[in-house]
Amino acid sequence: MATANVPASEVDVTPPGHPDGAEWLYLVMWPNGDLVYSDNLSEVCVEAIQDDRYKDLLGDDSDEAHDECLVIRYEELVNLASKVQAWMVEEGADRGAIDLANAGEDVLTALFQDRQVPFAGVWRDGARSFEWTEDVPLVAVATDYAPFTARPVPTGRVVMLDPSSEMGFCLSLAALGLFEFYTKAELPVPA
């Protein structure tokens, strides 16, 4: 595994040489302009998560280590999802996209509960619906729903974050605008 960090103050935009002479597979550009070149998604995750537990688990190929890495990615995205959901609600209320005083209890619960608590649907026309139709998007974490659990996947205006793989994690961070993510690796095809 190889990683090269290039601070934003570097004026040369030529990628640093790879130690093996190969091409870098991944490039992350942080909002401050710093660049991270890597040939391994695990190293990109280490840079993003900033948790020594994740880094310490990288050399361990056991199922337990893989499970613990998944838990760490999940915790990171749940934390981010909660912050993003709070921002979306505040921004939506400010622009009049949602009237919090008149929103139903199930809508308010879905918007204000911790993102670690999966969306349980809303009551619509006397039945529980998993379609989110509010103007303020619902932020959810993919591993809380099918195919990872028996819970239906929410549809509609949903921002879905995916900790199930390192690629899903990096694409989620990029979708939130936390960094720009570029790859020469083959991306997974959505099901």
Side-chain angles (χ1 to χ4, degrees):
M1 289 188 281
T3 301
N5 293 311
V6 179
S9 59
E10 279 290 322
V11 291
D12 185 3
V13 294
T14 305
H18 190 284
D20 297 336
E23 290 188 13
W24 297 104
L25 286 179
Y26 307 103
L27 169 63
V28 168
M29 184 169 74
W30 295 99
N32 68 0
D34 287 354
L35 302 174
V36 175
Y37 292 88
S38 184
D39 60 1
N40 185 288
L41 275 176
S42 295
E43 294 294 333
V44 173
C45 290
V46 165
E47 293 283 331
I49 294 172
Q50 296 289 306
D51 184 332
D52 288 340
R53 293 180 303 154
Y54 202 90
K55 186 175 185 174
D56 293 343
L57 291 166
L58 292 186
D60 187 342
D61 201 29
S62 69
D63 287 343
E64 293 81 14
H66 288 282
D67 290 347
E68 183 62 22
C69 285
L70 171 60
V71 167
I72 293 169
R73 290 191 307 270
Y74 176 83
E75 290 170 349
E76 186 79 9
L77 286 184
V78 162
N79 182 37
L80 289 170
S82 294
K83 292 175 183 176
V84 169
Q85 187 70 78
W87 175 82
M88 286 182 168
V89 169
E90 182 179 342
E91 189 274 336
D94 287 348
R95 66 179 166 83
I98 187 167
D99 179 3
L100 296 175
N102 293 311
E105 185 176 331
D106 54 349
V107 169
L108 293 174
T109 297
L111 289 173
F112 287 104
Q113 70 189 2
D114 188 281
R115 295 298 94 187
Q116 195 167 6
V117 178
F119 175 59
V122 292
W123 285 101
R124 192 173 296 120
D125 299 325
R128 186 162 301 280
S129 172
F130 288 87
E131 181 180 6
W132 186 256
T133 59
E134 301 299 320
D135 285 333
V136 172
L138 177 72
V139 182
V141 181
T143 52
D144 288 333
Y145 307 97
F148 305 101
T149 72
R151 271 183 221 96
V153 177
T155 59
R157 294 184 57 94
V158 178
V159 175
M160 190 66 72
L161 305 179
D162 183 9
S164 68
S165 67
E166 289 177 334
M167 180 62 81
F169 178 81
C170 290
L171 292 173
S172 295
L173 294 181
L176 290 175
L178 297 176
F179 60 44
E180 291 184 38
F181 179 66
Y182 303 94
T183 181
K184 290 185 176 186
E186 189 172 319
L187 294 176
V189 177

